Amino acid sequence: MDAYTNIHQLHHLIETKTAAKLPGPYKVGVDLGTADIVLVVIDSKGTPVAGSMRWASVVKDGLVVDFRGATTIVEELKSEVEKLLGVTLDKGATAIPPGTLGRNAAACGHVIAGAGLEPICQVDEPVAAAKALNIEHGIVVDIGGGTTGIAVLKNGNLVFTADEPTGGTHISLVLAGAYSIPFEEAEILKRNEKQHQKIISVIFPVIEKMATVVKKMLIGHEEYNNYPVYVVGGTAYLQNFEREFSKAFGREVHVPPHPLLVTPLGIAMFG
Ligand code: ATP
């Protein structure tokens, strides 16, 4: 299956709460995000077999802040997919924003271990996304809830990563301020496609700022100027995101289908 077919398949499995009838052994990936937690199971060829996700606030800007809450959610997601598959999952991979070090980096592993998954690998989030997209040469920008990370791949090898604390959470904060509403209400407003037209004047400047942040990360790396750029992460769901980001970035960028699921799928590939 090609990369985009895999992403569509994963989306279908999560939406329908079903499992694909494919034999094991399976690989497991857990994405502990600022806005949501996603658990993905794939077969040995990388085809999605099952997945489950939950909106959560247990991570802030890439750092686990509610260890117990995170562990409980991973336990629940694991149990859901185990029921669908009829097997017990015992190992998994996790990911962190580039540059996360020490105890903060170790925390993700402890969370999945607490949920009964032996942590076997921890990758940088945009590197996982690049794996899911099967990129040989290219730049992956992962705009999550709290962080924006990039990975530059040359001949399939990682040559550069960077990360900044900006993401969808900041768009919601700006919306909350502009409309004088609570953050949670701003999140709901932002994720409602029917409301996007109403909020574009508020969110476009934030998208522009994000593109500027990514552009700055690439200063001094002009040799990658002709590499294709892929933007993943939940923020890329926003209407006309691709067009507005491209305009501010000064180059055309591509948003794959279901951009929120790309990194979780890639993490499972390292599982
Ligand atoms: P991080 O990697 O920064 O820790 P994360 O893994 O939670 O965060 P993602 O799951 O890629 O990040 O994306 C979450 C962000 O995407 C949140 O800010 C959320 O509000 C936003 N988002 C999700 N769905 C939509 C949507 N349909 N429209 C707009 N924004 C969305």
Side-chain angles (χ1 to χ4, degrees):
M1 270 201 214
D2 71 12
Y4 283 12
T5 311
N6 274 335
I7 299 164
H8 281 296
Q9 159 86 343
L10 175 60
H11 178 253
H12 171 75
L13 294 171
I14 293 176
E15 285 292 298
T16 56
K17 296 186 189 304
T18 54
K21 288 193 173 53
L22 292 167
Y26 301 132
K27 295 181 185 183
V28 180
V30 181
D31 188 1
L32 289 170
T34 306
D36 48 76
I37 297 185
V38 190
L39 186 147
V40 174
V41 184
I42 59 172
D43 73 359
S44 56
K45 291 183 186 143
T47 307
V49 176
S52 190
M53 68 181 286
R54 191 92 81 253
W55 294 111
S57 311
V58 290
V59 173
K60 291 266 178 290
D61 298 345
L63 310 178
V64 178
V65 290
D66 177 2
F67 184 85
R68 214 184 157 82
T71 305
T72 305
I73 293 173
V74 176
E75 260 173 356
E76 287 168 7
L77 299 179
K78 176 176 172 290
S79 155
E80 276 170 32
V81 295
E82 283 177 342
K83 267 192 207 121
L84 291 173
L85 292 167
V87 297
T88 302
L89 305 168
D90 57 1
K91 296 183 185 70
T94 54
I96 44 172
T100 309
L101 300 169
R103 291 205 176 106
N104 288 321
C108 288
H110 294 322
V111 167
I112 71 160
L117 289 170
E118 182 194 338
I120 50 167
C121 174
Q122 191 164 55
V123 282
D124 280 344
E125 286 171 353
V127 173
K131 180 97 171 165
L133 295 171
N134 199 14
I135 290 171
E136 276 290 299
H137 301 282
I139 300 170
V140 179
V141 180
D142 187 354
I143 306 183
T147 58
T148 291
I150 67 164
V152 181
L153 282 293
K154 185 178 178 181
N155 296 320
N157 295 314
L158 180 70
V159 288
F160 176 65
T161 61
D163 188 70
E164 283 291 331
T166 181
T169 300
H170 300 100
I171 296 186
S172 304
L173 285 171
V174 172
L175 275 175
Y179 291 100
S180 301
I181 53 175
F183 175 82
E184 289 71 25
E185 219 175 288
E187 269 288 318
I188 294 165
L189 174 67
K190 186 183 72 175
R191 288 186 212 158
N192 182 352
E193 227 177 274
K194 291 191 189 114
Q195 300 285 345
H196 281 177
Q197 204 54 34
K198 174 177 146 190
I199 60 174
I200 48 174
S201 60
V202 180
I203 57 173
F204 278 179
V206 193
I207 294 176
E208 202 176 292
K209 173 81 181 156
M210 287 169 172
T212 312
V213 166
V214 175
K215 223 163 136 176
K216 277 197 189 137
M217 288 177 184
L218 288 164
I219 289 174
H221 299 277
E222 285 71 22
E223 66 268 37
Y224 310 123
N225 273 356
N226 59 347
Y227 278 26
V229 182
Y230 301 88
V231 184
V232 302
T235 300
Y237 278 113
L238 288 165
Q239 215 177 39
N240 295 323
F241 176 91
E242 200 173 54
R243 188 191 71 198
E244 289 306 309
F245 193 94
S246 297
K247 224 193 284 172
F249 191 58
R251 288 166 59 190
E252 196 192 340
V253 304
H254 312 279
V255 175
H258 311 295
L260 189 147
L261 297 178
V262 177
T263 301
L265 174 63
I267 298 171
M269 290 175 176
F270 286 93

